[in-house]
Each structure stands twice: as structure tokens, then as C-alpha cells.
């Protein structure tokens, strides 16, 4: 049994599925950074009340439409305003940072909020080239050393790290260890997660692949660690839920049109440009009628709550997991909250 699985403490949504929130902290409709951050607090509080298991937040740099540069700071703030929901990073971009500093920051969170902290790691730059260089210099050089960084971080969290043969501890050391996860969209990130005994989060909302191969490689190569004894898979999906199918599609078109006018990439999320693969299988009905190609349809679910639960169930069966992170980008804060609420309410009946 895992020492900190992040499940069970607040799993009133259903006994079968574990749903969490992945919050990019978007600045919707010209909101200020202050307003966006307050909306994130509201979202976390409401998610906890509705039965979501976890609240994770992302790391992005120099992106005008997002206010999420430092997940550990926001998690400290939200932890003080919630009671039981798991708190995690989706993700801390490890190539930019010292493993010791990351371990210290999240162990401090673990001491503040015992048993609630999940450290999700990523290997993307998280911003444009100039912001990336300003943050940590030569990113490509840093990411090439990611295996060494992951090894050091794992050793620090298992209290067996040495520097020049001298023991170094990441303090404070919480009584309940934090859990460690790797986020990614391909086989490479899955292999890292397996090698270092981490949980694996497949980012379906960013990937043209269906995750089958990455998850298979993760499970087959998994090596148990001190904090995770067996492989654990989670899937991050983009979903927009409304009371009617027509309303959901209208909201999605509104978001797409808004991004086109602002010059942002037309994708499930307002972060970075991504390529789409037109040769993947179609998992979403009527995607062609909505003007979405197959890869795009897999990245973003839009519809009524029962329809989205059906799609989640299909992913669950394919990847053999019932753990999901749900990201909902808009089109405004009121409808974002409504989408999460409808999905939670339907889950209590549907699952």
C-alpha cells in the first residue's frame, strides 16, 4: 500500500473514480492576476465541497493569459483555505531547479499540510525561449541531465542523498511523506516515472497519442520506491460540461473564436502551440460535424455530464485507471465552476 496515495480522504465523488482539478490559473476575460488567483481559491474550495479528490496547479512563465508561475506558493495559500483536498503541482519543471530546493519546498508544504501534498514533475520549458533562458540558462543542457536530477530528488525524499560523500537532508522532514508523480505525454516521461518509482500522469489534453503505449511501458518497467510500492496511473483530460450538448459546443466555439481573435493557439488550452495528428482514432462522436479533427477531439471533451462520464469511462477502460485530473479553461469563471459542479453531480449518479 502506498504511504501517500492522495485518495480516500475526500473521495465522496464516487467509490470507483477519483477526480481531481488541474488549474492553470487562467486570466479569463481580462481578469487581473489578483482576480485569477482568487478564482483559483474559490475553485479549490468548491471542488473540495463537491467531492473532488485533489487540486493541482501548473507552472508557466511569462504567459500573459496565465497566473501560475510558482505552484508551491499558490498551494501554500490554498492549503490554508481548504481542509482535506490533496494539493499538488502539475507540474514543477525540474530541469530549471536544484533538486534540493524542490525537495525542501514540498517537504515544507508536507509539514504544513500532513498527508495532503503531491509533487508532480515535468520536463517542459514552461515558457518561451527568452523566458526559459532568463529562468535557468541553457534549458537543453539542463533537460539532458534530468535523469541525474530525478535520481537526486528521489534520494533526497528517501533520506539517502549524499554530496561529496557527506549526507545532506531536505528539511523539514514531515512525518507523512509526500508522493511523487511524473507528468508527460510520451514514452520517455513514462520510462522516467517507472525507473524512479513515481506515479505517472498521462497528459491526454496535450497529446496526439492515446497513451496506451506510454502507460504499458510505465507499468512493465515500474520499480517500487519508498513512497510508491506499485504503479499508479492518472490521466489529465480537458473537459467542458454544460446542461445541454448545444450549450457545451457553443461554449467551446466561443473559446476557440476568442483565441483566434487574440492570436493564441487554437487548442484545448491557452498555453503553447501544438501540432495535431489527423491519423489517430476517433474517440468522440460527431467530432467531424463540430469541425474537430480526431486528435483534437481526443484532447478536449465537451458535452453534457453523462456524455463526458462516458468518455472518461472509455479512457478508464483503455488505460486501466480510474484516476483523472480535469482541466477546464473557461470561457468565464462562472461557467468554469458550473462545468466542474455538473461533472461532480453527475458522477455521484453515473458511476
Amino acid at each position: 500500500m502506498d504511504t501517500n496515495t492522495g485518495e480516500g480522504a475526500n473521495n465522496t465523488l464516487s467509490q470507483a473514480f477519483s477526480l481531481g482539478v488541474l488549474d492553470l490559473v487562467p486570466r479569463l476575460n481580462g481578469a487581473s492576476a489578483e482576480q485569477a488567483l482568487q478564482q483559483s481559491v474559490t475553485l479549490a474550495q468548491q471542488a473540495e465541497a463537491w467531492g473532488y479528490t485533489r487540486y493541482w496547479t501548473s507552472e508557466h512563465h511569462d504567459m500573459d493569459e496565465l497566473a501560475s508561475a510558482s505552484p508551491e506558493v499558490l498551494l501554500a495559500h490554498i492549503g490554508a483555505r481548504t481542509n482535506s483536498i490533496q494539493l499538488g503541482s502539475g507540474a514543477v519543471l525540474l530541469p530549471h531547479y536544484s533538486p534540493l530546493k524542490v525537495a525542501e519546498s514540498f517537504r515544507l508544504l508536507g509539514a504544513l499540510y500532513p498527508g495532503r501534498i503531491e509533487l508532480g514533475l515535468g520536463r517542459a520549458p514552461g515558457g518561451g525561449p527568452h523566458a526559459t533562458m532568463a529562468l535557468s540558462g541553457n534549458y537543453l543542457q539542463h533537460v539532458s541531465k534530468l535523469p541525474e536530477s530525478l535520481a537526486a530528488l528521489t534520494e533526497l525524499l528517501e533520506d539517502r542523498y549524499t554530496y561529496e560523500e557527506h549526507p545532506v537532508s531536505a528539511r523539514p522532514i514531515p512525518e507523512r511523506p509526500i508522493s511523487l508523480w511524473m507528468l508527460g505525454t510520451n514514452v520517455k516521461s513514462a520510462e522516467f516515472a517507472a525507473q524512479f518509482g513515481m506515479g505517472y500522469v498521462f497528459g491526454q489534453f496535450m497529446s496526439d497519442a492515446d497513451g496506451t503505449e506510454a502507460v504499458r511501458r510505465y507499468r512493465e518497467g515500474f520499480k517500487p520506491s519508498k513512497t510508491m510500492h506499485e504503479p499508479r496511473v492518472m490521466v489529465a483530460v480537458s473537459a467542458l460540461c454544460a446542461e445541454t450538448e448545444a450549450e457545451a459546443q457553443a461554449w467551446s466555439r466561443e473559446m476557440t473564436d476568442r483565441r483566434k481573435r487574440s492570436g493564441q493557439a487554437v487548442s484545448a488550452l491557452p498555453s503553447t502551440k501544438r501540432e495535431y495528428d489527423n491519423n489517430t482514432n476517433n474517440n468522440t462522436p460527431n467530432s467531424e460535424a463540430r469541425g474537430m479533427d480526431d486528435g483534437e477531439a481526443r484532447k478536449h471533451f465537451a458535452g453534457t455530464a453523462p456524455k463526458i462520464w462516458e468518455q472518461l469511462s472509455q479512457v478508464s477502460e483503455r488505460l486501466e485507471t480510474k484516476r483523472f485530473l480535469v482541466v477546464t479553461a473557461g470561457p468565464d469563471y462562472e461557467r468554469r465552476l458550473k462545468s466542474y459542479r455538473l461533472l461532480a453531480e453527475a458522477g455521484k449518479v453515473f458511476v
Side-chain angles (χ1 to χ4, degrees):
M1 182 177 181
D2 298 337
T3 54
N4 180 19
T5 65
E7 292 157 346
N10 191 45
N11 195 11
T12 60
L13 183 62
S14 94
Q15 294 301 311
F17 279 69
S18 172
L19 247 58
V21 171
L22 176 57
D23 183 12
L24 307 189
V25 197
R27 295 179 56 237
L28 299 176
N29 302 322
S32 66
E34 290 83 355
Q35 291 169 326
L37 290 164
Q38 183 54 53
Q39 289 293 333
S40 290
V41 174
T42 300
L43 174 58
Q45 292 172 330
Q46 291 298 316
E48 182 175 72
W50 293 329
Y52 284 85
T53 305
R54 46 178 53 87
Y55 171 92
W56 284 24
T57 187
S58 63
E59 176 183 337
H60 292 93
H61 299 282
D62 193 26
M63 291 188 177
D64 182 60
E65 70 273 18
L66 302 176
S68 56
S70 181
E72 62 270 32
V73 174
L74 181 55
L75 292 176
H77 180 69
I78 286 179
R81 286 155 178 78
T82 53
N83 298 306
S84 60
I85 195 168
Q86 297 294 119
L87 304 170
S89 55
V92 168
L93 306 177
L94 187 59
H96 292 306
Y97 306 115
S98 156
L100 176 59
K101 182 59 178 175
V102 172
E104 288 176 335
S105 296
F106 276 78
R107 276 191 157 183
L108 178 55
L109 285 171
L112 287 169
Y113 308 110
R116 295 177 62 189
I117 301 302
E118 300 175 316
L119 171 52
L121 303 170
R123 59 194 188 102
H130 292 92
T132 299
M133 290 292 291
L135 181 63
S136 63
N138 191 329
Y139 168 77
L140 292 177
Q141 184 180 58
H142 296 322
V143 80
S144 71
K145 297 178 180 178
L146 184 59
E148 291 90 340
S149 295
L150 290 170
L153 181 61
T154 302
E155 291 169 3
L156 284 160
L157 294 176
E158 295 182 355
D159 298 307
R160 54 186 180 86
Y161 178 80
T162 62
Y163 187 85
E164 295 182 348
E165 300 182 355
H166 183 83
V168 176
S169 295
R171 301 182 185 276
I173 302 175
E175 292 183 356
R176 299 179 63 181
I178 64 177
S179 64
L180 199 55
W181 296 77
M182 187 80 190
L183 286 77
T185 60
N186 55 38
V187 168
K188 192 64 176 178
S189 56
E191 290 176 339
F192 282 139
Q195 178 182 351
F196 294 102
M198 307 175 186
Y200 178 57
V201 183
F202 174 66
Q204 178 168 297
F205 71 93
M206 298 183 295
S207 179
D208 294 315
D210 67 3
T212 304
E213 179 64 13
V215 169
R216 182 186 67 80
R217 296 276 284 273
Y218 165 68
R219 288 195 172 108
E220 289 180 353
F222 183 83
K223 298 178 181 178
S225 64
K226 184 177 180 180
T227 58
M228 199 163 290
H229 298 168
E230 60 185 12
R232 303 182 74 86
V233 174
M234 192 153 39
V235 183
V237 301
S238 171
L240 185 59
C241 184
E243 292 179 347
T244 68
E245 184 75 16
E247 189 176 28
Q249 301 309 326
W251 291 3
S252 291
R253 286 193 297 271
E254 179 181 340
M255 294 165 61
T256 298
D257 292 344
R258 188 179 303 165
R259 288 173 194 145
K260 285 181 178 178
R261 290 194 298 269
S262 66
Q264 295 177 19
V266 180
S267 65
L269 301 169
S271 53
T272 58
K273 293 183 179 179
R274 304 181 180 96
E275 296 179 354
Y276 291 88
D277 181 2
N278 293 320
N279 298 317
T280 52
N281 293 326
N282 185 355
N283 289 336
T284 306
N286 301 320
S287 62
E288 184 177 352
R290 299 199 311 267
M292 298 173 68
D293 64 32
D294 294 343
E296 190 176 353
R298 180 159 48 224
K299 290 175 181 174
H300 179 62
F301 299 155
T304 62
K307 176 183 175 180
I308 291 176
W309 271 106
E310 290 175 2
Q311 293 170 312
L312 291 176
S313 296
Q314 291 169 7
V315 177
S316 173
E317 183 176 353
R318 185 179 76 243
L319 299 182
E320 300 181 37
T321 184
K322 295 184 182 297
R323 303 179 191 90
F324 289 89
L325 286 170
V326 179
V327 56
T328 300
D332 55 50
Y333 294 119
E334 182 178 355
R335 284 181 282 184
R336 182 174 72 150
L337 273 178
K338 183 177 182 180
S339 177
Y340 279 112
R341 177 178 60 80
L342 290 173
L343 192 61
E345 290 175 350
K348 295 173 185 177
V349 176
F350 185 81
V351 178

